[in-house]
């Protein structure tokens, strides 16, 4: 394992695992599908993909991964959650199913299916801090939004247009980041590059 080529795991319980792995490889990382706690010990960073957070939560429980995930993230493992993965990284959720738990780590409140009440899927340009001057063309699918964030959370992007303009859709807190949208689907891998760089800096203990 070299600093130049981190190994980034993709939580492979459910969701669009393969698309994230491909995007991470484009960003210069090796990838590993993570389904067991031992696999979690082998990665320098972790992506929690989009999918369905209620299913992901149930499977994480069944595979006895919830506690290992919490411990690794508390211990400083860089992690990036997209859509359902954003929900998994939220300290607090709204509109979850009864008893729904998250891994947590980011001091934010995320509302499930928030945009989905108006429209199931849509695309919108989102300017993203630290990821170039061109706004990111973001794809939202039954997406959550971030309702509120604590002081330690940096807002990286907000929806730019439409009735939900101004809603927070991309955040970072230290080594953790999350987006409401699906950057693995568009061929523009700036978000994955940003995360791979974050992982490399964490490996060099610069962040
Ligand atoms: N609505 C889904 C959930 O609650 C997230 C949708 C997605 O990841 N595309 O988990």
């Amino acid at each position: 394992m070299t600093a130049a080529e981190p190994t980034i795991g993709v939580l492979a319980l459910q969701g669009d695992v393969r698309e994230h792995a491909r995007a991470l490889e484009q960003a210069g990382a090796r990838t590993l599908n993570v389904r067991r706690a031992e696999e979690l010990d082998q990665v320098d960073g972790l992506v929690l993909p989009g999918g369905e957070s209620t299913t992901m939560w149930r499977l994480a429980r069944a595979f006895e991964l919830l506690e290992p995930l919490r411990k690794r993230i508390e211990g400083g493992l860089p992690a990036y959650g997209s859509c359902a993965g954003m929900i998994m990284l939220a300290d607090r959720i709204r509109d979850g199913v009864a008893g729904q738990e998250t891994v947590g780590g980011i001091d934010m409140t995320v509302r499930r299916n928030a945009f989905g009440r108006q429209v199931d899927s849509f695309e919108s340009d989102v300017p993203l801090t630290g990821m170039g001057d061109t706004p990111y063309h973001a794809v939202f699918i039954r997406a959550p939004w971030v309702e509120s964030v604590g002081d330690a959370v940096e807002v990286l992007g907000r929806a730019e247009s439409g009735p939900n303009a101004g809603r927070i859709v991309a955040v970072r807190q230290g080594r953790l980041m999350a987006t409401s949208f699906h950057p693995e689907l568009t061929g523009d891998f700036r978000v994955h590059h940003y995360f791979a760089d974050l992982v490399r800096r964490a490996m060099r203990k610069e962040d």
Side-chain angles (χ1 to χ4, degrees):
M1 204 184 300
T2 66
E5 199 180 34
T7 300
I8 300 185
V10 183
L11 185 65
L13 299 172
Q14 187 263 345
D16 56 350
V17 174
R18 199 175 328 145
E19 290 81 356
H20 274 290
R22 200 176 306 137
L24 289 165
E25 279 153 21
Q26 294 280 326
R30 273 182 255 182
T31 61
L32 181 73
N33 285 355
V34 171
R35 287 192 195 85
R36 294 177 303 145
E38 303 84 78
E39 287 156 347
L40 203 49
D41 293 334
Q42 296 166 31
V43 299
D44 304 305
L46 183 72
V47 168
L48 296 90
E52 174 49 55
S53 61
T54 56
T55 309
M56 229 176 267
W57 156 59
R58 289 195 176 97
L59 290 172
R61 283 212 77 125
F63 283 59
E64 296 182 348
L65 263 177
L66 265 183
E67 276 314 311
L69 280 166
R70 286 177 181 144
K71 285 216 180 76
R72 277 286 269 148
I73 285 174
E74 270 167 30
L77 180 73
Y80 161 50
S82 147
C83 203
M86 169 186 258
I87 296 168
M88 294 296 284
L89 288 180
D91 280 350
R92 295 166 299 278
I93 56 174
R94 300 260 187 276
D95 291 343
V97 299
Q100 183 173 352
E101 297 171 281
T102 68
V103 173
I106 302 183
D107 181 11
M108 62 179 174
T109 302
V110 167
R111 187 175 289 278
R112 279 184 69 227
N113 300 335
F115 290 107
R117 276 193 225 100
Q118 277 102 14
V119 52
D120 258 5
S121 320
F122 66 99
E123 300 180 14
S124 172
D125 284 343
V126 178
L128 290 175
T129 305
M131 291 181 234
D133 294 335
T134 324
Y136 192 88
H137 190 71
V139 175
F140 296 83
I141 305 169
R142 286 186 297 287
W145 68 42
V146 180
E147 212 141 278
S148 61
V149 294
D151 290 342
V153 178
E154 182 189 2
V155 173
L156 298 179
R158 293 174 185 268
E160 206 176 32
S161 54
N164 299 308
R167 288 287 177 188
I168 301 169
V169 295
V171 294
R172 174 172 176 183
Q173 181 180 342
R175 294 179 177 181
L176 305 178
M177 56 183 281
T179 63
S180 302
F181 52 87
H182 287 265
E184 71 285 8
L185 298 179
T186 51
D188 177 347
F189 297 138
R190 274 183 278 168
V191 176
H192 292 85
H193 275 279
Y194 182 95
F195 181 59
D197 283 345
L198 187 160
V199 173
R200 285 187 195 99
R201 280 200 305 278
M203 288 167 79
R204 295 197 300 260
K205 312 238 185 301
E206 289 170 10
D207 261 346

